Amino acid sequence: MDTSVEQPLNKSTQISHNTGVDPRDANTPDNWVPRHPEMVRLTGKHPFNAEAPLSLLMEQGFITPNPLHYVRNHGPVPKLQWETHRLTVNGLVSKPLILSMDDIENLPYKEFPVTLTCAGNRRKEQNMIKQSKGFNWGAAATSCAIWKGVPLNHLLKLAGVIDEKTDKPRYVCFAGSDKLPNGFYGTSIPLEWAMNDANDVILAYGMNGEKLPPDHGFPLRAIIPGCIGGRMVKWLSSITVSDKESDSYYHYNDNRVLPPEYDMERATKEKIWYNPDYIINKLNINSAITSPAHNERISLSSFVSTKEYTIKGYAYTGGGQKITRVEVSLDYGKTWLLAKLTQPELEHPVVLKRGIFPIPRFWCWSFWSISIPLYSFIRCEEISVRAWDATHNTQPNTPTWNVLGMMNNCHFRVKVNTINQGKEFFLEFRHPTQPGNNPGGWMVKPEPPKTEKTVSNSSTSNNKDKRTFTTQQVEKHNNEKDCWIIIEKKVYDCTRFLKVHPGGLEAILINAGKDVTEEFNAIHSSKARARLDKFYIGDLSDNTQAKL
Ligand SMILES: Nc1nc2c(c(=O)[nH]1)N[C@H]1C(S)=C(S)[C@@H](COP(=O)(O)O)O[C@H]1N2
Ligand SMILES: [Mo]
């Protein structure tokens, strides 16, 4: 590892970098991709979407070690080779290029830290209000690494980009190598954004002094500082300069904030996906409390010996703006206390080496902390946080639900409860949610107990001659012509559904014949569950254990 990358600001707890293949990936197309066992999986076994446990992420400090960086994969990781991979640069250019990775590595480079954030960060809070179309991100869909790569403007000049200065709209379209149910992953940004040197758009082949790990786009990906993660195409295979935006399905159908009254049906009917006003590019301002952690406790007896508690967290914003202040409230936002801010980016050796722009751009997260006397918790029911940036933009008090569950940035609230165990009294803290289907969080409503009525209303009642199957019997129906699955001990024959499944045929087929409860619940709404009722054929017999 390049030593300039290591820096004193990290109090990194040693985490293993020699992560092997996780047994959970054994029967998936990703059975060759090394992954850290502590990553919290959010979409069952496959595809891999994961975040680090929030406290573990924060313990790493400013730079996130590669194995703990959040991952967002729409499908299987393409198996690419450094030696054979090629990048094509074409479209509105006078000298189209086909470059090898060695060619790219021999071009000038920039190296600097950037915080990547998925536009779905903190989505589970929205899902607790109403299930959106997206899976349950907690507050750790954000991570920071040192990226190294060729400036995109340099490459485009080499290719002889045509009419760079035109007043007509021009776009740089990126395409990945991951073939998904609706074609290759791809998206675009305005050409002008890519050409402005101060925007630092690069095509990266290095991450924290190493080659990119497979999950993060090996061998090449786009890094667009200040932008949502969704535009930073991984496994990059082509760049096209065009007078139109990317034609990828994913450019239009993902990473948009639709008005709250739109559900999927209405959005598609009204073709609202193509409304340019709803695209997300720059990140919005956001912050979260990371200490106290969820379920952290303070014994009231410690009030005698310890006088203070330090509340901590992160904050970030988009477009290179500076976070200028973070405030904490202990009384539901009636009054706010000013937290101490640190911006490790400004002192980072890699940043100092390249020099700070006359007007500094902030591409990274900031950290904040505030020490309060322990007794201030006594009447406190909730700790909340909000950040402000240089444009005096701040976070809203309440979330605005939208069908893709994007850009949630309402005040992050941690509840404070007093509990007792025997004679001991504790303060116990609860975060709004826990990532994935993990239980816990004050926003999570307890499951209503299953009454006779709810059971008889469910799919079982539609079938008079109810059949039962063993897991071994279900396992045999594992292909495109005959495909059964198990969800919560119910067996479904979804052969007829395969072709029309919105998530694609593959998504079901890799689980054919298996128990998919975890996968299904991670991403589907109750509506989807209702749609499945038609395919219900019977129950799993009690003497077989469902394999999870
Ligand atoms: N080719 C490709 N690029 C992709 C994606 C993908 O699924 N395929 N996911 C995008 C999304 S939504 C995000 S948030 C970032 C995540 O990058 P990471 O997995 O390295 O954290 O990659 C983006 N680039
Ligand atoms: Mo994302």
Side-chain angles (χ1 to χ4, degrees):
M1 193 191 242
D2 181 348
T3 47
S4 67
V5 164
E6 288 179 5
Q7 35 86 43
L9 300 157
N10 262 12
K11 283 204 299 284
S12 165
T13 7
Q14 278 306 308
I15 63 130
S16 163
H17 280 249
N18 297 326
T19 44
V21 173
D22 191 294
R24 285 169 289 185
D25 291 320
N27 294 317
T28 75
D30 291 350
N31 61 7
W32 56 278
V33 182
R35 284 172 180 156
H36 198 277
E38 289 243 39
M39 293 297 281
V40 183
R41 291 175 179 235
L42 309 172
T43 49
K45 284 188 283 290
H46 190 80
F48 187 65
N49 290 292
E51 64 184 79
L54 191 57
S55 301
L56 184 63
L57 178 69
M58 282 301 110
E59 279 168 32
Q60 312 307 312
F62 179 57
I63 297 295
T64 313
N66 292 353
L68 294 184
H69 194 289
Y70 86 89
V71 177
R72 170 74 180 103
N73 292 342
H74 283 71
V77 176
K79 214 172 191 169
L80 305 175
Q81 308 297 327
W82 181 274
E83 293 73 25
T84 51
H85 188 68
R86 295 290 178 269
L87 173 75
T88 59
V89 184
N90 55 23
L92 299 171
V93 296
S94 59
K95 290 168 276 179
L97 303 172
I98 299 178
L99 300 170
S100 71
M101 287 309 300
D102 285 345
D103 294 337
I104 292 172
E105 220 185 7
N106 285 326
L107 294 171
Y109 68 85
K110 287 186 180 181
E111 185 173 29
F112 54 97
V114 182
T115 296
L116 260 55
T117 304
C118 179
N121 192 28
R122 297 182 58 195
R123 180 188 288 129
K124 188 163 181 187
E125 294 164 58
Q126 282 199 31
N127 281 348
M128 291 302 103
I129 300 167
K130 193 164 97 187
Q131 177 67 42
S132 73
K133 253 285 282 168
F135 61 84
N136 288 324
W137 280 119
T142 178
S143 307
C144 188
I146 292 169
W147 300 94
K148 178 180 179 181
V150 55
L152 179 56
N153 58 358
H154 180 84
L155 205 71
L156 290 174
K157 279 180 203 152
L158 272 187
V161 58
I162 297 169
D163 334 307
E164 186 201 326
K165 295 260 158 6
T166 174
D167 52 3
K168 294 180 212 104
R170 291 282 184 268
Y171 303 90
V172 185
C173 306
F174 304 100
S177 317
D178 43 341
K179 187 118 198 331
L180 303 168
N182 294 295
F184 289 102
Y185 189 88
T187 183
S188 54
I189 59 168
L191 175 65
E192 182 205 347
W193 187 344
M195 294 310 290
N196 183 344
D197 202 46
N199 289 341
D200 276 343
V201 181
I202 60 171
L203 305 185
Y205 45 79
M207 178 181 186
N208 288 333
E210 296 166 10
K211 295 254 154 77
L212 303 185
D215 270 329
H216 297 291
F218 180 85
L220 190 68
R221 77 170 307 168
I223 291 290
I224 309 162
C227 181
I228 56 159
R231 311 259 164 261
M232 307 193 199
V233 174
K234 306 194 275 191
W235 312 295
L236 186 68
S237 64
S238 79
I239 288 182
T240 308
V241 181
S242 171
D243 56 1
K244 291 186 194 66
E245 294 180 45
S246 162
D247 59 5
S248 167
Y249 171 91
Y250 301 92
H251 178 67
Y252 289 102
N253 292 268
D254 200 353
N255 290 307
R256 297 197 171 229
V257 176
L258 303 191
E261 71 264 32
Y262 278 79
D263 61 9
M264 290 304 277
E265 257 166 35
R266 183 170 168 201
T268 306
K269 203 164 101 202
E270 295 182 21
K271 297 198 169 61
I272 200 163
W273 302 109
Y274 300 93
N275 184 328
D277 292 339
Y278 302 141
I279 193 168
I280 320 167
N281 285 316
K282 285 172 188 166
L283 278 165
N284 57 357
I285 187 165
N286 212 338
S287 64
I289 297 168
T290 59
S291 282
H294 180 68
N295 281 348
E296 187 174 324
R297 284 178 177 190
I298 310 176
S299 156
L300 287 198
S301 58
S302 68
F303 277 43
V304 184
S305 53
T306 331
K307 300 263 179 295
E308 287 196 327
Y309 183 91
T310 307
I311 307 171
K312 292 183 203 163
Y314 69 68
Y316 59 73
T317 189
Q321 291 293 336
K322 183 184 187 180
I323 293 287
T324 49
R325 112 168 96 119
V326 173
E327 297 167 327
V328 170
S329 176
L330 304 176
D331 58 7
Y332 294 106
K334 279 194 217 76
T335 59
W336 294 90
L337 307 163
L338 187 63
K340 197 177 120 214
L341 249 187
T342 50
Q343 259 124 3
E345 178 174 8
L346 292 180
E347 297 148 46
H348 196 284
V350 170
V351 175
L352 295 177
K353 195 167 117 194
R354 74 193 289 241
I356 295 170
F357 293 111
I359 306 163
R361 308 277 167 144
F362 290 81
W363 300 142
C364 299
W365 54 11
S366 304
F367 298 105
W368 56 267
S369 66
I370 184 166
S371 294
I372 58 158
L374 264 185
Y375 64 76
S376 354
F377 278 138
I378 291 173
R379 298 221 162 154
C380 168
E381 295 174 351
E382 182 190 279
I383 317 168
S384 55
V385 66
R386 66 178 186 198
W388 295 76
D389 71 17
T391 65
H392 293 275
N393 196 5
T394 188
Q395 300 170 235
N397 187 15
T398 49
T400 301
W401 186 91
N402 58 91
V403 71
L404 295 183
M406 294 286 176
M407 302 294 260
N408 180 32
N409 71 336
C410 63
H411 299 169
F412 191 93
R413 301 165 199 283
V414 170
K415 300 285 184 190
V416 189
N417 292 323
T418 320
I419 53 161
N420 71 304
Q421 245 173 18
K423 285 192 185 135
E424 267 245 78
F425 279 80
F426 296 92
L427 290 178
E428 189 182 62
F429 300 96
R430 279 190 303 152
H431 278 219
T433 64
Q434 288 295 283
N437 290 342
N438 291 336
W442 61 262
M443 289 188 87
V444 182
K445 289 187 212 93
E447 286 264 315
K450 276 199 180 126
T451 60
E452 280 297 311
K453 200 162 169 245
T454 51
V455 172
S456 68
N457 273 345
S458 81
S459 44
T460 33
S461 62
N462 306 340
N463 280 262
K464 282 183 202 87
D465 47 350
K466 195 173 98 177
R467 295 163 64 194
T468 60
F469 305 98
T470 63
T471 39
Q472 289 78 10
Q473 284 172 315
V474 177
E475 262 167 22
K476 288 184 190 133
H477 305 266
N478 59 5
N479 57 64
E480 206 167 323
K481 298 212 171 70
D482 176 23
C483 173
W484 293 11
I485 53 169
I486 305 166
I487 298 169
E488 280 159 7
K489 302 210 162 149
K490 289 189 163 46
V491 181
Y492 300 88
D493 176 352
C494 47
T495 319
R496 282 185 299 134
F497 186 58
L498 284 176
K499 289 218 171 70
V500 293
H501 179 227
L505 175 118
E506 276 299 315
I508 304 184
L509 269 187
I510 72 159
N511 289 307
K514 299 198 192 106
D515 188 311
V516 297
T517 308
E518 203 189 335
E519 281 76 5
F520 186 88
N521 288 340
I523 44 177
H524 294 89
S525 63
S526 47
K527 250 190 187 167
R529 184 67 192 263
R531 222 171 288 149
L532 206 67
D533 271 3
K534 280 197 285 233
F535 306 105
Y536 168 78
I537 50 169
D539 289 350
L540 202 63
S541 61
D542 286 335
N543 55 0
T544 54
Q545 269 294 311
K547 266 193 244 147
L548 280 182

